[in-house]
Amino acid sequence: MRIKIYFLILVLSSFLFANCSRYSAQLQKADTAFLKNDFANAESLYKELLQSKDENTQISAELGLIKLYMKKNDFKKAISIIKPTLEKRKLDEPFKEWLAYQNIIALFNLNLYVETYNSAIEYLRNYPKTKNYNKVKELTAISMKSLGKSTDLDLINALENANKAQNINIKPVSLEIIDF
């Protein structure tokens, strides 16, 4: 009886690891296609990986698609993945910061200056010591100028929480991207 149980565990374990290995190999193929600028193949492989039952594989595929769409300057498709990923996934900090930055870049390139401003202010508060900090600060200022407004970014960045922002009449605005 013990031998049958061990055998069953061994078979199940090998099946699980084989599936993980398959997805890992497919992810490597997708990444390689991306690096070779074979975007159609990379996109197809990443989309297949989205169907995986493994959450890490799904997240890797989402990040791969975002990276691909940003490289292709297809900001509308990038945003369609960035928003749900930011809202639904619990990402570790390097990925979360990267995703927040990609969100700002995509919004800015879609001329969605209010959304760029709102996302950038949150980024500036949460990530003051990142390499992208000054670029985000610059995009925030450009967004405000495009809206005919000006703001003191240092004052906003010094705020500790959104409640203080309300006290000086800096209110976030929410927009939904419906279609372009």
Side-chain angles (χ1 to χ4, degrees), residues 27-63:
L27 186 58
Q28 284 181 334
K29 285 181 185 177
D31 290 340
T32 300
F34 173 81
L35 291 172
K36 291 180 178 179
N37 292 330
D38 182 3
F39 297 137
N41 188 29
E43 182 177 12
S44 174
L45 291 167
Y46 285 132
K47 284 183 175 180
E48 284 178 31
L49 288 165
L50 290 175
Q51 307 308 315
S52 168
K53 292 181 181 179
D54 178 51
E55 186 178 14
N56 289 333
T57 301
Q58 291 174 356
I59 291 170
S60 296
E62 289 169 354
L63 297 177

Side-chain angles (χ1 to χ4, degrees), residues 19 22 35 49-50 67 87 89 110 121 124 158 171:
N19 266 347
R22 189 181 116 227
L35 291 172
L49 288 165
L50 290 175
K67 183 175 57 172
E87 293 169 3
R89 302 284 188 190
L110 290 170
I121 292 303
L124 294 172
K171 297 179 182 174

